[in-house]
DNA sequence: CGCCATGATTGAATCGTTTCGGTTTAATTG
DNA sequence: CAATTAAACCGAAACGATTCAATCATGGCG
């Protein structure tokens, strides 16, 4: 049932080496033999064994993708982009989800090394750098996604979070808002920290007041809970900017439950522009990040690096996020 | 850099076979040699090569999971469940997303065969059965997810869609609704067909009237669009039941935009109970499906089948979905 | 017609493991 | 103390592909 290249060779009456050539450098085999081999393969239903291939050739054509939370639509899109690109280039994508658990991350990294992946795509968490060092020691090319590499020896595809934070506040200011609630995640997450820097920078420029709120995890439920604090806070906030859409959706629900009107009572902005934001009960204004493109480009870059070896030039690509205006924001009525 | 079992052996002063035993049947090697090997492995930073392992042993410890739409939170959860279970049992999960495109599905199946997966988890689409037949011919165990296997030679883990459709209508009837809009996806999808059967069956029992609506794809946008038809239809529908949550969320948005109140003007029920439903602006009543469990159990079953070979008994497991009541439904006010 | 260059084909060696029959060592027994 | 047995260990062969030096055909050219 499991046919080998040898079976094909003997059926087509050629040497195994020729079959291998047919598979890998078809131009080197003559038309006639090509035909013979083709039909032998078809008759035997032969499919090459990737493991044997990899073992002998030394290159695995498998790239690993390690994400912290596959449940977050942002990463789902990243994975889709990376998967499609890998597939188009005849690479296999091995998707691992660490659920933000360092133990799981460790285990996945081990598996990826066992599989001898030729490259790794990873969104490093704060603690996740130990495992990456291990990969480095083994000379496995690694590309960061959504986090800028600090070394020039390392590629990354990330977003300009400072710019994103800044442009949201700038936009709100242009609508006339002067007191804004800023709901951020843990500052230990690089993205959160940068967005906050952008927020504060713009606040100074535009002369608006920022009320900071914190959330431990960036999920909907956390937004729902923190909304109470915003409502109870004495300040007369007129706009709310959340560090991601999940949190914003949670805030939105809490506000509506409390009889608030969006965007009249509060303007609301999220971040990521996940699919659900456009179809929320009140479509959410958001800072869009091209997640699919991030994944696709990162995959393309790691493939280039794998294939071009030493002469590959590492790049740190930074995209600018884009403000997408929807129904959850409008000019402040005096 | 890439150390082999041979390097370990020579450094620990033992034979390669002994190192292999250490790796696979540690009980067979004496305490003293075990220690030597352990430290050799640590010093060399040795990690076994999965490809070589697989090639020689013949069994790959890789299971494939082919889903039609990884963007749908239902499948994301399935994948998470399957991935965790695989991981716990030292299997590797190869996740493939076909985006409901037969071409992509075909290509993924090819890759999975090249990888010589030891088992496949799949949610077969209407057309996707050709590829599965190919897997069968190669004696690769296959387990269906969210679709009952028609053959007793095949395992499956699925949901009782008839029951789900039925219980939603029954519940709405108990609230006093007698005219219900039923928004279904394509009947060519088995799940949709069964749910509709359940709906109609219950309608007859409870003596309520069903207005059928159709949607081509089961995404939020489609729900948003079909809502207009519901509003324009002459009948005095008081409740709306959608074949999945994404569609229901789209309907919800359209209704709110048109000034309708939920649940007073319309009661609304979805299906799947994805995470976003609980945190929608108006939390959605839904028919919950244990997606994570589905994936986890399917993975466990295929692992059992792989490991127990012939003496494995195929099972068709069917879960009953569960009604989860939230704010989007309430008793009809006369 | 012989010589060469070129292109096509061959097949043995190899990748890093597991497997398994054979050998060594140590302990037990009569 | 020789014989027996069991536990550890050894190491060559094999898994299915790729590689590459060597060989074979073919045709062009002087």
């Amino acid at each position: 049932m499991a046919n080998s290249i040898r079976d094909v060779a003997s059926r087509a009456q050629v040497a195994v080496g020729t079959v291998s050539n047919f598979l890998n450098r078809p131009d080197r085999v003559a038309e006639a033999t090509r035909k013979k081999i083709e039909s032998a393969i078809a008759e035997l239903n032969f499919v090459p064994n990737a493991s044997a291939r990899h073992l002998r050739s030394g290159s695995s054509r498998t790239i690993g993708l390690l994400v912290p939370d596959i449940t977050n639509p942002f990463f789902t899109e990243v994975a889709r982009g990376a998967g499609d690109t890998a597939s188009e280039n005849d690479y296999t994508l091995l998707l691992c989800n660490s659920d933000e658990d360092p133990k799981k991350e460790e285990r996945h990294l081990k598996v990826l090394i066992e599989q001898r992946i030729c490259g790794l795509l990873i969104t490093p968490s704060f603690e996740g750098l130990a495992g990456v060092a291990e990969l480095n020691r083994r000379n496995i090319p690694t590309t960061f996604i959504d986090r800028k590499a600090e070394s020039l020896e390392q590629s990354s595809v990330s977003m300009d979070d400072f710019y994103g934070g800044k442009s949201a506040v700038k936009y709100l200011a242009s609508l006339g808002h002067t007191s804004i609630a800023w709901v951020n995640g843990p500052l230990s997450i690089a993205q959160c920290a940068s967005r906050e820097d952008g927020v504060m920078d713009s606040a100074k420029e535009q002369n608006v007041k920022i009320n900071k709120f914190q959330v431990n995890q960036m999920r909907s439920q956390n937004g729902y809970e923190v909304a109470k604090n915003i409502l109870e806070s004495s300040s007369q906030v007129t706009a709310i900017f959340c560090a991601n859409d999940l949190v914003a959706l949670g805030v939105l629900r809490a506000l509506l439950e409390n009889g608030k009107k969006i965007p009249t009572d509060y303007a609301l902005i999220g971040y990521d522009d996940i699919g659900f934001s456009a179809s929320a009960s009140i479509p959410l204004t958001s800072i869009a990040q091209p997640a699919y493109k991030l994944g696709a480009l990162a995959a393309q870059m790691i493939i280039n690096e794998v294939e071009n070896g030493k002469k590959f030039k590492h790049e740190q690509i930074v995209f600018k996020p884009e403000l997408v205006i929807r129904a959850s924001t409008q000019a402040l009525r005096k």
Side-chain angles (χ1 to χ4, degrees), chain A:
Chain A
M1 200 75 353
N3 286 308
S4 82
I5 208 182
R6 235 170 223 97
D7 302 315
V8 174
S10 79
R11 179 167 254 263
Q13 315 231 57
V14 298
V16 292
T18 306
V19 178
S20 179
N21 277 336
F22 169 85
L23 256 22
N24 302 297
R25 312 184 231 9
D27 48 300
R28 293 224 187 136
V29 354
E31 184 60 23
T33 40
R34 192 178 319 181
K35 286 233 177 84
K36 282 194 296 180
I37 296 177
E38 256 163 11
S39 59
I41 286 180
E43 286 160 21
L44 293 175
N45 236 294
F46 167 80
V47 176
N49 180 322
S51 290
R53 222 165 193 184
H54 164 209
L55 175 59
R56 174 60 238 234
S57 73
S59 74
S60 71
R61 294 192 87 78
T62 296
I63 86 183
L65 169 58
L66 189 47
V67 299
D69 177 16
I70 190 61
T71 271
N72 183 332
F74 174 77
F75 289 112
T76 312
E77 280 301 302
V78 169
R80 229 165 51 84
D84 285 355
T85 302
S87 200
E88 283 159 17
N89 292 74
D90 285 316
Y91 279 73
T92 301
L93 186 80
L94 202 46
L95 173 57
C96 301
N97 171 41
S98 70
D99 263 336
E100 281 170 350
D101 175 350
K103 285 257 181 295
K104 284 192 189 178
E105 183 168 316
E106 187 98 5
R107 181 151 56 180
H108 281 133
L109 245 12
K110 172 99 180 296
V111 169
L112 292 175
I113 293 177
E114 284 179 356
Q115 299 288 336
R116 297 293 192 269
I117 53 168
C118 60
L120 176 69
L121 265 26
I122 186 173
T123 298
S125 56
F126 23 121
E127 47 220 331
L129 294 170
V132 174
E134 172 69 19
L135 274 281
N136 265 355
R137 205 173 332 134
R138 289 175 191 271
N139 287 318
I140 298 176
T142 302
T143 293
F144 286 175
I145 294 186
D146 198 32
R147 163 86 102 93
K148 191 170 178 200
E150 53 287 301
S151 147
L152 289 180
E153 295 304 297
Q154 162 121 41
S155 295
S156 64
V157 184
S158 60
M159 300 296 310
D160 188 339
D161 290 296
F162 181 87
Y163 176 87
K166 190 159 174 166
S167 56
V169 170
K170 197 164 160 189
Y171 166 64
L172 287 173
S174 80
L175 293 179
H177 295 277
T178 55
S179 181
I180 301 172
W182 159 237
V183 183
N184 200 6
L187 287 177
S188 52
I189 297 177
Q191 290 87 332
C192 292
S194 299
R195 287 172 200 175
E196 180 148 326
D197 290 345
V199 165
M200 300 317 286
D201 187 70
S202 184
K204 187 177 287 176
E205 251 178 52
Q206 308 287 333
N207 197 31
V208 311
K209 187 164 169 295
I210 300 293
N211 270 47
K212 292 187 191 175
F213 293 85
Q214 263 275 350
V215 116
N216 296 327
Q217 275 195 303
M218 292 165 70
R219 305 194 183 220
S220 184
Q221 185 57 27
N222 307 89
Y224 182 76
E225 286 157 8
V226 84
K228 294 188 182 71
N229 304 337
I230 300 178
L231 288 171
E232 287 166 5
S233 80
S234 50
S235 70
Q236 61 281 58
V237 159
T238 58
I240 304 172
F241 176 28
C242 300
N244 86 4
D245 282 352
L246 296 175
V247 172
L249 289 172
V251 168
L252 174 61
R253 175 163 65 100
L255 293 179
L256 293 176
E257 274 182 15
N258 281 70
K260 301 300 179 189
K261 295 259 182 290
I262 311 297
T264 43
D265 292 341
Y266 293 99
L268 182 60
I269 302 193
Y271 208 114
D272 282 353
D273 192 32
I274 60 178
F276 288 96
S277 303
S279 57
S281 52
I282 295 176
L284 211 59
T285 293
S286 187
I287 306 292
Q289 310 209 76
Y292 183 92
K293 205 158 109 189
L294 241 54
L297 183 59
Q300 192 60 63
M301 284 171 63
I302 203 108
I303 289 173
N304 288 346
E305 181 166 356
V306 167
E307 293 183 351
N308 295 325
K310 284 295 135 191
K311 70 179 184 191
F312 172 81
K313 210 165 89 281
H314 292 270
E315 283 182 278
Q316 292 78 40
I317 291 183
V318 179
F319 283 107
K320 290 229 184 298
E322 202 173 309
L323 176 68
V324 175
I325 298 174
R326 296 208 186 82
S328 72
T329 49
Q330 73 172 26
L332 185 64
R333 290 190 302 192
K334 306 270 162 122

